[in-house]
Amino acid sequence: MANTWDDWLRAYEAAYRSPTPPLQLPCPNCGARALSLLFREKTSDGVGHVFFWCGSCRFGIHLSRVDVPDGAAFIPYDAPADEQPLPPSYTLVHPEDSEDEGEDVESEVF
Ligand SMILES: [Zn+2]
């Protein structure tokens, strides 16, 4: 377990496959089964952004432009502002800056 973007993304992908709360996954950072997934729909066709965080260590990630999966907790795009629950404040984990090592994106460009 670690607290990197990749670890969080892997946990997110697992959570996305069975998003109905309560999530049974351990947190990639602290191991607590306190992860929450909250989608906020932006358009009527079910595209939105998502908050994914651990209620124990208060780390997490945020992704935009995702499809809201069936069964997930989500805020409808037309919900009144005062009925929109917000995630607690948590520390965002960001993708690591791509250094020279690893995949070189430009080598894929023709
Ligand atoms: Zn945690």
Side-chain angles (χ1 to χ4, degrees):
M1 285 186 295
N3 198 25
T4 68
W5 173 258
D6 285 348
D7 292 294
W8 277 98
L9 206 59
R10 224 170 290 134
Y12 168 75
E13 283 164 1
Y16 191 91
R17 283 194 292 272
S18 55
T20 307
L23 301 177
Q24 296 300 318
L25 295 162
C27 167
N29 181 42
C30 73
R33 292 180 196 275
L35 295 173
S36 294
L37 200 53
L38 178 65
F39 290 86
R40 175 175 283 189
E41 208 175 49
K42 293 300 266 185
T43 60
S44 58
D45 59 5
V47 175
H49 57 155
V50 60
F51 304 96
F52 181 50
W53 75 94
C54 171
S56 181
C57 64
R58 297 291 180 99
F59 278 94
I61 61 175
H62 172 250
L63 298 169
S64 53
R65 298 201 58 77
V66 297
D67 288 322
V68 179
D70 289 341
F74 76 100
I75 305 162
Y77 75 98
D78 56 354
D82 58 357
E83 288 176 19
Q84 299 198 0
L86 282 172
S89 60
Y90 62 93
T91 305
L92 281 176
V93 175
H94 295 286
E96 283 133 70
D97 292 334
S98 38
E99 305 279 300
D100 313 12
E101 289 152 39
E103 315 93 86
D104 184 354
V105 178
E106 288 183 19
S107 69
E108 301 292 325
V109 178
F110 295 108

